[in-house]
Amino acid sequence: MKESKQVEGNPYQEWIDEYGTISWEESDTRAFVDLVEYHMKNAAEELREKMRAAYKRGVEFEYLFWDTVYRDE
């Protein structure tokens, strides 16, 4: 997105500019992903299943959020 042509009046341009300045390797997001993966790999299977279910539910909420934005609700 950072490489794409900037569109005048884009309400997300500030967000794109901010997130486009940090490389993945240096990002807090990468550090968080690494932390979650470490704990997932070292957890018992029962806990991993709970983690997967929580992640899936979080993705569902994210989808619902953006779907309401798309439908202008």
Side-chain angles (χ1 to χ4, degrees):
M1 287 188 300
K2 180 74 174 160
E3 307 282 323
S4 299
K5 179 181 173 187
Q6 292 188 359
V7 177
E8 187 175 329
N10 181 352
Y12 303 104
Q13 193 62 54
E14 186 175 341
W15 179 85
I16 292 168
D17 292 342
E18 177 66 28
Y19 282 91
T21 59
I22 302 171
S23 74
W24 169 251
E25 295 299 323
E26 299 169 347
S27 70
D28 291 337
T29 304
R30 170 66 188 268
F32 183 74
V33 167
D34 289 346
L35 179 68
V36 170
E37 287 182 349
Y38 170 81
H39 288 288
M40 184 106 172
K41 290 175 185 175
N42 292 292
E45 184 59 32
E46 182 180 345
L47 181 55
R48 282 197 300 269
E49 285 303 317
K50 289 179 181 179
M51 293 170 81
R52 285 184 191 104
Y55 177 80
K56 181 180 176 188
R57 189 67 178 142
V59 169
E60 290 168 351
F61 283 134
E62 182 80 5
Y63 170 80
L64 291 171
F65 170 78
W66 287 109
D67 186 53
T68 59
V69 171
Y70 177 75
R71 291 183 289 126
D72 197 25
E73 292 183 358

